[in-house]
Amino acid sequence: DAAFITVGCASGDYSTGTKSKSPLRVFILAGQSNMVGHGWIAGTDSNGQERNATLEWLVRNDPLEFGMLKQQQPKSSENEADTTKDKHKSMWTAREDVRIACNSWEMNDSQPVIMSHGNLYPGLCAGNPGQNNQLGPELGFGWTVGDAFFNPRKTDDSNRILLIKVAWGGKSLAVDFRPPSSAEVTGPYYNSMVATVKSTLQNITHYFPDDVAGRPVLLSGFAWHQGWNDGCNITMTREYERNLANLIRDIRKDLDTPLLPFAIATTGMVKRDGNETDAKLGKDRRQIIIKAELAVAKYEEFEGNVASLDTRPFERPKAPASPTDQNYHWMGNAESYWLVGKGLGEVMVDLVILRERNEENKAENTTKRKKYVHIALWVLISATVISTLARVGALWYFRAAILKVWNKIFHHTSDGGIIEPLLDHSSVEVMETNSGDVI
């Protein structure tokens, strides 16, 4: 069931008003520090050398994949030297059709408040407070989803995308994000996450007035990237699958969207966490979490509306091949964060298209059923009428037959009276008996 949102509505009933334009599609991005994002946009090492695998480095070394992220700027004069540096003198591309709003990522600040919002570009809504040189999965996700739903033939009325990013570093699903259905105490960051989403949706005209005007707001999906902290404790590790399944159920319930598409990016970073022996034996806690993240998507109740992305292929070697050696933050590698976001976006697009196709088929089947019901009613009514007419016709035919026989036996006067049948005396033979009687 699609969740259309009434702008300004204070209740949890997200049914829409007007649907005259293509929708503003809303996607929620949630998790811990790797959803916050710590991929490097640019930077140099202690020797002043550019670090590898920053976003700047990727734009220059893989322009087919990343070149669109920068807008080339013209030289300031014809006499300016055309050096390599000048060739890449540019500014980051801001998507006009993809917006983003995000919370404060102070580790202990769980207030449901939006701190930043605007058009999606590298550096907006990523990194810890005060950092503006980092990126997270939102970049690859936003570009992938934006491209998927952009209609070049309807540039004035194409879909708009809004990413609501709610994430905090160092948070577990077992405690901080603990869903209500897992009993015990609901995690404070679960409550804040839901409250932030609802508050943003209810005040969306404040943040993005031009995108909402005359346009329905459609809550389209939820993307989750988390799990590292639950691998720090074996008890939390063992209950991760149960907690994740409950998270999906509770998010859908609290946002009043029973079949909200849910995309899960596994925690992924396991090959170089210094626990190779346990990993080979299948006992590493983070391997268990990854298996849980992959298993939940296979639940029968989640078929076609939940999908998992295995992010292990996106891990890259530590510095100097990557900007850092922080294995818990994808080594700061911009490509890893881009691939996580892009992969999540591709998974999400598939889920959304499948859901909407199912809804269209459901609506079409409902229309067909109504049509067939109308036809059946018409046939029934027609049959009843025909049957009634047939019975009436039979009665009239029977009456006419009786009258015909009656008239043969009796003679009716002009006024409806009946007299004895008249004898034709001309044909009567008169006989006289010996006694004188006439017969």
Side-chain angles (χ1 to χ4, degrees), residues 31-32 48 61 63 66 98 136 139 157 190 215 284 326 343 396 407:
Q32 60 177 110
N61 288 277
F66 299 97
V98 182
L139 193 63
D157 186 28
Y190 174 89
R215 189 184 297 275
D284 178 72
Q326 292 182 335
W396 277 100
N407 285 331

Side-chain angles (χ1 to χ4, degrees), residues 47-64:
N47 297 320
Q49 298 296 313
E50 181 184 23
R51 293 181 183 268
N52 293 319
T54 65
L55 195 59
E56 287 276 13
W57 185 92
L58 291 169
V59 169
R60 186 166 63 256
N61 288 277
D62 190 359
L64 290 178

Side-chain angles (χ1 to χ4, degrees), residues 194-212:
V194 172
T196 301
V197 171
K198 288 185 175 181
S199 175
T200 305
L201 293 175
Q202 290 162 4
N203 295 284
I204 198 167
T205 54
H206 170 72
Y207 301 114
F208 306 102
D210 294 338
D211 294 301
V212 178

Side-chain angles (χ1 to χ4, degrees), residues 40 44 63 69 73 117 131 147 184 186 225 238 258 288 294 333 359 384 408 422 430:
W40 283 46
T44 57
L69 296 177
Q73 299 298 303
H117 65 279
Q131 294 178 326
D147 287 349
E184 300 180 21
T186 300
H225 186 34
R238 286 172 176 166
I288 295 173
L294 295 173
N333 193 297
E359 289 177 349
T384 302
K408 285 184 178 180
L422 298 177
V430 179

Side-chain angles (χ1 to χ4, degrees), residues 65 107 168 184 290 335 414:
E65 177 73 8
M107 290 187 66
W168 295 268
E184 300 180 21
I290 291 172
E335 183 186 22
S414 60

